[in-house]
């Protein structure tokens, strides 16, 4: 079973997503969004860009 994105409303009634591994372990939690549509656009951006993301040390020089 693949991982999944779960969309929910938080206590402030804003939308967030949680990315979970196939095991159910939480991998990432999003920022808050005013609309479900904005939340879903963010999910699509993660899907699109994650395969190309590089691993870098925090504070490492750019270049």
């Amino acid at each position: 079973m693949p991982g999944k994105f779960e969309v929910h409303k938080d206590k402030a009634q804003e939308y967030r997503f949680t990315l979970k591994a196939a095991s159910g372990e939480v991998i990432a939690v999003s920022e808050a969004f005013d609309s479900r549509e904005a939340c879903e656009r963010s999910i699509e951006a993660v899907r699109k860009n994650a395969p190309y993301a590089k691993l870098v040390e925090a504070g490492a020089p750019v270049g």
Side-chain angles (χ1 to χ4, degrees), residues 25-37:
E25 179 182 358
V26 174
I27 297 172
V29 178
S30 74
E31 62 183 88
F33 298 93
D34 292 335
S35 69
R36 183 177 178 96
E37 293 78 20

Side-chain angles (χ1 to χ4, degrees), residues 1-2 15 17 23-25 27 33 40 43 45 50 53 55-57 59 63:
M1 177 173 124
Y15 290 90
F17 70 80
S23 65
E25 179 182 358
I27 297 172
F33 298 93
E40 289 180 8
I43 290 170
L55 174 62
V56 297
E57 293 297 322

Side-chain angles (χ1 to χ4, degrees), residues 1 3-9 15-21 24-26 28-30 36 39-40 43 47:
M1 177 173 124
K4 62 183 175 182
F5 288 92
E6 294 181 349
V7 176
H8 64 278
K9 281 188 172 180
Y15 290 90
R16 295 179 183 268
F17 70 80
T18 303
L19 174 56
K20 291 187 175 181
E25 179 182 358
V26 174
V29 178
S30 74
R36 183 177 178 96
C39 187
E40 289 180 8
I43 290 170
R47 285 181 170 156

